[in-house]
Amino acid sequence: MKPFKTYDEQIDKLSDVGLLPKYINTPTGPNINGPVQITIHNPLKKDVTERAIRMHALQHSKAYVIELLQTYGYYNIINQYNKPFLSDNGYIDDIDFFKLYSVQQVDTRIKNLIFYPILQIEQRLKTCMAYEFAKAYGPFDGDSIINYQEPYLNSNNYTHSLKTKDHKLKHILLIDRLEKLYKDTTYKPFNHYRAAHGHIPIWIFINKLTFGEMLHFYEVLKIQNNISSFFNLTPSQLRTCMLFLNQVRNDCAHFSSFINQDYPMLKKDLPLLVDFITNYNLNSQKQITNIFRLLIVFKYLLPSNPYYSFIQAVDKDVFSMIYSEYIPVISEYMQGILMAPTQKSYKDKLNFLLTK
């Protein structure tokens, strides 16, 4: 069992494992509450390690550490990012609390950048699905509102062969969920369409679905090819892209890590994925880091102008930043996990994706 620990106890634990100094009770210097420049007075020219310097400088950082723990939580700074910096004997010498915090901050910057394009894609997918569904199943001019059944609540419009691991029919589970959503009386667009038109068309109803519900809706559609072809994908290729994005979206929304997360594999025959693996002499997509797999998915699902803007933003705010703001150990780690061992290397990859 994991017992509760106060912030002071959390700091004691961080001090015990060497991520923070043993704090003195009576401060003799200024409090550290942000980035600082350190000037070392060492008239005897004694050998002083970089770690010793940092630990000495951090003697007055306790108030700031507590603020960060109160804001982000111990787990979200330490446990989500510490695995690459652990050895058999604990943490490596060149790591400390603020270096782990810097990894968390870079990851947060990436998640902030990628979240809005994912929302754009979500809306684009919903719009495409609603358009193709309505084109296939209505409502059409001349349909009577008397005894009208919404096409998305009609089991005849879904494939009946797919089952869950516990052998439940997926289309039945979907319709049960859609019927519950349909009864919602708090959603203003639903109330307007019920009052003005006597029903809720799919292009209004689909906005109420979560990304996961939209994915389940797509999985049981008979018209998947009509949707996937809009994105120049096969039905199964689009499905794996959506599975990948759904988990990334959830991690962005719920403060989980992105850079070191294990995400579902994309379809192996995805053309841009194949080209990327071939061009960079990789053995499989497992060697492609999350940011570049995401960029491959975005290439298919985002319009060209937003995709170009996103490439520029991720270059400026992530890749360029890890080279311009050097942090020992952390910068090397970020260059590796972002598949950017050199500036030329990552720029070449970004240009490759832009021009394909």
Side-chain angles (χ1 to χ4, degrees):
M1 181 177 292
K2 271 286 194 188
F4 165 80
K5 291 187 182 294
T6 66
Y7 292 119
D8 282 333
E9 289 171 333
Q10 292 175 32
I11 286 176
D12 288 341
K13 182 178 179 180
L14 292 169
S15 297
D16 290 342
V17 297
L19 292 180
L20 287 172
K22 296 287 185 182
Y23 287 106
I24 56 178
N25 294 325
T26 306
T28 58
N31 285 334
I32 294 177
N33 57 7
V36 295
Q37 181 175 351
I38 302 170
T39 301
I40 302 300
H41 179 63
N42 187 18
L44 300 180
K45 307 297 182 183
K46 291 183 178 180
D47 290 336
V48 180
T49 65
E50 190 263 350
R51 179 176 180 77
I53 294 171
R54 286 182 65 82
M55 288 297 117
H56 178 76
L58 295 178
Q59 276 292 341
H60 311 295
S61 64
K62 184 174 182 179
Y64 185 44
V65 172
I66 289 178
E67 180 183 308
L68 294 177
L69 292 172
Q70 290 171 333
T71 303
Y72 299 104
Y74 184 101
Y75 176 85
N76 294 325
I77 297 175
I78 306 301
N79 294 9
Q80 285 202 119
Y81 301 102
N82 65 354
K83 304 300 184 295
F85 310 104
L86 289 169
S87 68
D88 293 339
N89 300 317
Y91 286 95
I92 62 175
D93 286 341
D94 293 329
I95 201 70
D96 59 49
F97 175 86
F98 285 99
K99 287 186 176 181
L100 287 179
Y101 173 62
S102 70
V103 178
Q104 188 266 352
Q105 287 293 282
V106 174
D107 196 31
T108 298
R109 179 178 293 200
I110 295 172
K111 288 184 290 185
N112 288 341
L113 278 174
I114 67 181
F115 193 55
Y116 180 67
I118 292 175
L119 295 181
Q120 287 180 294
I121 289 170
E122 180 177 348
Q123 190 58 54
R124 199 168 191 229
L125 286 165
K126 287 179 176 179
T127 300
C128 182
M129 288 183 198
Y131 180 88
E132 294 298 337
F133 191 88
K135 185 168 70 173
Y137 304 115
F140 303 111
D141 286 339
D143 286 351
S144 173
I145 199 63
I146 300 172
N147 298 322
Y148 181 75
Q149 183 184 32
E150 300 287 3
Y152 50 83
L153 300 180
N154 186 342
S155 66
N156 293 327
N157 298 332
Y158 300 106
T159 182
H160 292 188
S161 59
L162 296 177
K163 295 182 180 180
T164 63
K165 291 181 180 179
D166 53 355
H167 307 294
K168 294 180 181 179
L169 289 169
K170 285 191 174 184
H171 77 284
I172 296 298
L173 295 175
L174 174 73
I175 291 174
D176 287 346
R177 176 58 183 159
L178 299 186
E179 285 176 340
K180 290 177 182 177
L181 290 174
Y182 191 83
K183 296 173 183 176
D184 187 351
T185 58
T186 63
Y187 190 50
K188 290 183 179 180
F190 283 11
N191 294 337
H192 167 76
Y193 272 83
R194 282 194 192 99
H197 305 285
H199 79 114
I200 306 170
I202 181 64
W203 55 88
I204 300 301
F205 184 80
I206 202 168
N207 291 326
K208 189 67 173 173
L209 303 187
T210 65
F211 199 109
E213 289 165 343
M214 174 186 65
L215 174 57
H216 295 152
F217 177 69
Y218 173 79
E219 283 180 326
V220 295
L221 287 177
K222 295 179 178 179
I223 57 167
Q224 286 185 11
N225 193 64
N226 298 5
I227 297 161
S228 63
S229 61
F230 176 79
F231 300 99
N232 298 311
L233 296 167
T234 66
S236 58
Q237 287 170 350
L238 178 56
R239 179 179 174 275
T240 61
C241 288
M242 291 172 65
L243 280 168
F244 178 86
L245 278 186
N246 186 41
Q247 291 201 24
V248 174
R249 185 193 191 283
N250 288 341
D251 287 337
C252 290
H254 301 292
F255 303 101
S256 296
S257 66
F258 166 75
I259 55 174
N260 56 11
Q261 196 70 270
D262 291 327
Y263 290 114
M265 292 291 104
L266 303 174
K267 192 74 172 173
K268 290 181 180 180
D269 62 356
L270 194 65
L272 186 54
L273 180 68
V274 173
D275 289 347
F276 194 91
I277 289 171
T278 302
N279 193 71
Y280 293 103
N281 299 314
L282 306 175
N283 294 321
S284 74
Q285 67 173 297
K286 291 181 180 180
Q287 293 178 275
I288 305 176
T289 54
N290 288 339
I291 188 67
F292 279 104
R293 282 207 292 155
L294 184 72
L295 287 169
I296 289 170
V297 172
F298 278 6
K299 181 71 172 184
Y300 284 101
L301 302 184
L302 270 179
S304 57
N305 286 341
Y307 185 76
Y308 178 75
S309 297
F310 179 76
I311 289 283
Q312 287 185 310
V314 80
D315 183 357
K316 176 185 174 183
D317 295 334
V318 178
F319 288 107
S320 295
M321 181 269 296
I322 65 172
Y323 275 95
S324 64
E325 301 178 20
Y326 180 74
I327 302 173
V329 178
I330 300 304
S331 290
E332 290 84 356
Y333 169 71
M334 294 306 304
Q335 289 161 15
I337 205 165
L338 293 178
M339 212 173 181
T342 66
Q343 289 177 292
K344 182 181 182 301
S345 171
Y346 82 75
K347 286 185 178 294
D348 180 72
K349 293 182 180 72
L350 294 180
N351 288 331
F352 175 83
L353 293 174
L354 271 177
T355 55
K356 294 300 283 186

